Amino acid sequence: MSIATEVKSPDINYMTLKEWPTAHKVWGDDGFERINQLLDKAVHLVDRKAPNESIIYAGLSENKSKAGKTPVVFIDCDSLNRYHISERDIKSSKLPKPDRSSAFK
């Protein structure tokens, strides 16, 4: 007898012109492409480097990003950990330490 377990996929908040017209003025099409690729890569980084984490949500960190220049995304996990991940983190393949205090605010 096998027990079926439901695997939930994370809610990834991809950047689109329709949903984020004001941000699009700052980032443009190329910036949105960078952010969306970073979101995908960040989710995979957390999956690989923190296998015990269950990712719930991923999105652009407007507080940590430098508008129009350096995107930083956040990954929220059900453990209440939040990971802020930049393109530099992806290139180094290193997962930054999580921040529990900012998750789910």
Side-chain angles (χ1 to χ4, degrees), residues 53-71:
E53 295 280 24
S54 291
I55 300 169
I56 295 174
Y57 187 82
L60 176 69
S61 173
E62 294 184 59
N63 294 337
K64 303 266 184 190
S65 296
K66 290 183 181 157
K69 295 180 182 175
T70 311

Side-chain angles (χ1 to χ4, degrees), residues 1-95:
M1 183 169 123
S2 66
I3 298 173
T5 57
E6 182 181 342
V7 176
K8 292 184 179 181
S9 59
D11 181 9
I12 302 174
N13 191 5
Y14 291 110
M15 303 298 286
T16 64
L17 174 59
K18 182 180 177 186
E19 296 292 322
W20 300 98
T22 304
H24 189 267
K25 290 177 185 172
V26 175
W27 290 97
D29 289 337
D30 290 343
F32 273 19
E33 181 69 24
R34 280 177 64 200
I35 293 165
N36 291 338
Q37 286 180 7
L38 180 57
L39 284 164
D40 286 337
K41 291 175 182 177
V43 166
H44 290 295
L45 182 67
V46 173
D47 273 345
R48 281 194 333 267
K49 299 290 184 172
N52 295 329
E53 295 280 24
S54 291
I55 300 169
I56 295 174
Y57 187 82
L60 176 69
S61 173
E62 294 184 59
N63 294 337
K64 303 266 184 190
S65 296
K66 290 183 181 157
K69 295 180 182 175
T70 311
V72 175
V73 298
F74 66 89
I75 307 293
D76 284 342
C77 300
D78 67 353
S79 63
L80 301 183
N81 284 334
R82 173 174 280 182
Y83 295 89
H84 288 96
I85 300 174
S86 68
E87 291 168 317
R88 181 180 291 169
D89 297 317
I90 298 299
K91 285 178 186 169
S92 70
S93 193
K94 291 186 179 175
L95 185 65

